[in-house]
Amino acid sequence: MTAADARRAAERAGRRAEQLAALHLRLCGFTILARRFKCPAGEIDIVARRGRLLVLAEVKARADADAALIAVTAKARRRIEAAGRAFLSRHPRLADCGLRYDIIAVSGLSVRRFADAWRER
């Protein structure tokens, strides 16, 4: 397998994990507002809303949940937080929502959500 093949396979696995994570959130009553929101500061895999709660979710496809949690480094969290601020600045109607950062670990067909995985400083 070439490096390009490996990248394409990883991209497919990541998209599949994001699809499963979005389905999980919808089944939990959330509306998906955005997927793969990108801005110069960073990226948010999924932005979801349920009532007055806005969830910014980072999705990780890993062999187990512990590996997914470890994969979301402090640097990655800062980039997600910055992207979240950019998202909110583009959607001021959501400013009154509570904000939560979740990590969604996907392993095969297993989806595990870590609600309120961290808080912005």
Side-chain angles (χ1 to χ4, degrees), residues 46-114:
I46 299 174
V47 179
R49 180 179 183 180
R50 183 174 64 198
R52 295 182 59 140
L53 174 63
L54 192 66
V55 169
L56 308 181
E58 177 70 2
V59 180
K60 290 294 180 188
R62 295 292 188 273
D64 61 62
D66 289 337
L69 288 174
I70 292 169
V72 184
T73 64
K75 183 178 179 180
R77 291 175 185 195
R78 286 191 302 272
R79 286 197 326 257
I80 295 163
E81 291 166 3
R85 289 189 293 275
F87 183 87
L88 286 172
S89 72
R90 294 179 191 178
H91 300 90
R93 64 183 167 78
L94 300 172
D96 65 335
C97 289
L99 186 62
R100 190 175 80 194
Y101 296 95
D102 290 2
I103 297 173
I104 301 177
V106 179
S107 179
L109 293 177
S110 172
V111 178
R112 185 166 172 202
R113 180 166 39 111
F114 296 89

Side-chain angles (χ1 to χ4, degrees), residues 6-86:
R7 279 192 302 276
R8 280 191 290 274
E11 176 72 18
R12 279 192 306 274
R15 286 195 184 273
R16 180 178 167 277
E18 288 174 8
Q19 288 174 338
L20 288 171
L23 175 62
H24 172 83
L25 287 167
R26 282 194 297 269
L27 291 172
C28 291
F30 286 89
T31 299
I32 306 302
L33 301 180
R35 290 180 60 180
R36 291 192 168 202
F37 171 80
K38 293 181 184 180
C39 67
E43 178 181 341
I44 304 167
D45 292 332
I46 299 174
V47 179
R49 180 179 183 180
R50 183 174 64 198
R52 295 182 59 140
L53 174 63
L54 192 66
V55 169
L56 308 181
E58 177 70 2
V59 180
K60 290 294 180 188
R62 295 292 188 273
D64 61 62
D66 289 337
L69 288 174
I70 292 169
V72 184
T73 64
K75 183 178 179 180
R77 291 175 185 195
R78 286 191 302 272
R79 286 197 326 257
I80 295 163
E81 291 166 3
R85 289 189 293 275

